[in-house]
Amino acid sequence: MSKTLLYGATKVDETNSAYAPVESLAPFQWKNRVFIVFADKDNARAARQENQLLTDRSALDERDLVVLKISGATVRPLFGGADGLDGEAIRRDLEASEIGEFAAFLVGKDGTVKLKVSEPITGGELFAIIDSMPMRAAESLKPDK
């Protein structure tokens, strides 16, 4: 399985696009983390990824996570709300794989890519990655979370 974690750098080169907020997902910045699944509707890996994540909706809600599926240019929210998003712009901004190929990305509340996978990830793995992030640690200290 190919996983690329993109957070935790000790020195951020702000000219590097890997650390720039994803413009096409700006409506979520500072409100939600976004997990995006790219694949055609009949892709078995995408179906497995959806099933992995949607079994624990309370964990998704607790982590302010929105889950989107992008097939071609179509954006379909699987968990959380998402209106008026452009699938082609998101694909371009994330430099995602070809149309029809499976890929998934986690975008943090700061709008930057935190994780890129080419195979489905379990909910437990995803939640552990999110829970290890400094912003999530700070959230868990608040009494309302």
Side-chain angles (χ1 to χ4, degrees):
M1 174 190 329
S2 173
K3 278 189 229 178
T4 306
L5 293 175
L6 299 172
Y7 68 94
T10 55
K11 182 178 180 188
V12 175
D13 175 5
E14 293 181 4
T15 63
N16 184 336
S17 65
Y19 300 106
V22 179
E23 289 182 31
S24 54
L25 295 172
F28 299 106
Q29 194 169 5
W30 304 117
K31 295 179 230 158
N32 297 97
R33 293 172 183 90
V34 185
F35 190 78
I36 304 112
V37 177
F38 289 96
D40 286 339
K41 63 181 178 179
D42 297 328
N43 186 297
R45 290 186 291 175
R48 191 166 73 233
Q49 183 66 81
E50 289 176 42
N51 292 335
Q52 287 280 349
L53 293 180
L54 298 179
T55 58
D56 195 350
R57 292 174 182 268
S58 64
L60 296 172
D61 190 46
E62 181 181 322
R63 289 164 180 83
D64 300 325
L65 202 61
V66 170
V67 180
L68 307 174
K69 181 176 181 183
I70 299 180
S71 297
T74 304
V75 179
R76 184 171 62 105
L78 300 176
F79 184 82
D83 294 324
L85 296 175
D86 180 347
E88 290 177 0
I90 295 169
R91 182 181 301 278
R92 182 180 56 251
D93 288 351
L94 292 174
E95 299 176 5
S97 58
E98 296 293 317
I99 292 177
E101 292 294 315
F102 177 87
F105 292 79
L106 173 64
V107 176
K109 284 187 173 182
D110 64 355
T112 64
V113 175
K114 305 301 184 185
L115 173 73
K116 176 184 178 181
V117 294
S118 60
E119 292 293 328
I121 184 171
T122 68
E125 289 175 313
L126 179 63
F127 301 146
I129 290 166
I130 292 170
D131 292 347
S132 71
M133 295 176 184
M135 190 176 293
R136 173 68 181 144
E139 291 170 359
S140 65
L141 296 175
K142 293 180 183 176
D144 63 329
K145 286 280 179 186

